[in-house]
Amino acid sequence: VAVSPVDGSLYVSDGYGNARIHKYTAQGELLFSWGDPGIGSGQFMVPHNIAFNPAGDLLYIADREALRVQVFDTTGRHVRTWHDIHRPCGLAVGPDGNVYVGEQRTGTFMEGALDLGHAVSVFSPDGELLARVGAAEEGEGPGLFIAPHSVAVDSTGSVYVGEVSFTEAGRHLVPPRSLK
């Protein structure tokens, strides 16, 4: 859910099954919805997270299974698409306007491929990759990730990352264990 900093309206990413974005008034009345399953502009393959830019006139949508971030105005009009992002799950916009994206690598279909997931990437508001923190291989140490699933940025620019590390890796260990 993203709350408009302009008028308090609510935008909900409905990704598991519906592949849509819904806009509600601040009082909870449905105004309209957009999107359907697919890989075209304005279509979604699991819209997983949603966030506003600081001005409140653009929405960034982490379109996880389509390996991209789509950008829309507040009426649902497609503005642009960013590619070369691996399974964007978490997404947040910092006070500097930069977009922080948690990239999660799961599955064995890309085994051995480098630079796919296990990272938090920082993009300019226009989609230019500014930085990528993480590594080709998952890990528990500082600056390493297993499955970055959610991202938040506070008013000072500090970045917080929530992982689903037990689900993605820890439950498969013998014996199963929580990962740090």
Side-chain angles (χ1 to χ4, degrees), residues 31-61:
L31 294 173
F32 61 89
S33 301
W34 78 88
D36 48 36
I39 59 170
S41 297
Q43 295 181 313
F44 302 103
M45 298 293 292
V46 185
H48 200 268
N49 210 320
I50 184 169
F52 272 100
N53 69 342
D57 60 345
L58 293 176
L59 286 156
Y60 300 95
I61 313 285

Side-chain angles (χ1 to χ4, degrees), residues 86 105-114 116:
H86 191 72
R105 179 179 177 189
T106 57
T108 58
F109 64 95
M110 295 299 285
E111 199 63 43
L114 300 178
L116 294 178

Side-chain angles (χ1 to χ4, degrees), residues 1 4 11 18 21 34 48 50 52 59 64-65 83 90-91 108 110 113 117 122 129 131 135 139 144 158 170 176:
V1 174
S4 168
Y11 292 76
N18 282 330
I21 304 299
W34 78 88
H48 200 268
I50 184 169
F52 272 100
L59 286 156
R64 187 178 76 188
E65 300 307 314
H83 296 283
L91 180 144
T108 58
M110 295 299 285
V122 183
L129 178 64
L144 299 177
S158 294

Side-chain angles (χ1 to χ4, degrees), residues 7 14 31 42 71 80 83 86-87 94 101 119 124 130-131 135 141 145 149-150 152 155 163 165 168 174 179:
D7 63 8
D14 187 2
L31 294 173
V71 184
R80 70 181 71 87
H83 296 283
H86 191 72
R87 296 192 79 224
V101 179
S124 74
L130 301 174
F145 299 100
H149 203 71
S150 62
S155 61
E163 296 197 72
S165 56
E168 294 300 326
V174 179
L179 302 167

Side-chain angles (χ1 to χ4, degrees), residues 67-159:
L67 311 179
R68 63 189 179 178
V69 168
Q70 292 193 71
V71 184
F72 295 87
D73 69 15
T74 58
T75 68
R77 184 183 65 82
H78 180 263
V79 175
R80 70 181 71 87
T81 299
W82 304 348
H83 296 283
D84 302 322
I85 301 170
H86 191 72
R87 296 192 79 224
C89 290
L91 180 144
V93 179
D96 56 4
N98 290 332
V99 181
Y100 298 75
V101 179
E103 296 181 77
Q104 182 179 343
R105 179 179 177 189
T106 57
T108 58
F109 64 95
M110 295 299 285
E111 199 63 43
L114 300 178
D115 297 326
L116 294 178
H118 306 304
V120 173
S121 297
V122 183
F123 295 89
S124 74
D126 294 323
E128 175 190 356
L129 178 64
L130 301 174
R132 182 167 275 140
V133 178
E137 296 299 322
E138 66 186 35
E140 296 180 74
L144 299 177
F145 299 100
I146 295 168
H149 203 71
S150 62
V151 178
V153 182
D154 70 18
S155 61
T156 67
S158 294
V159 179

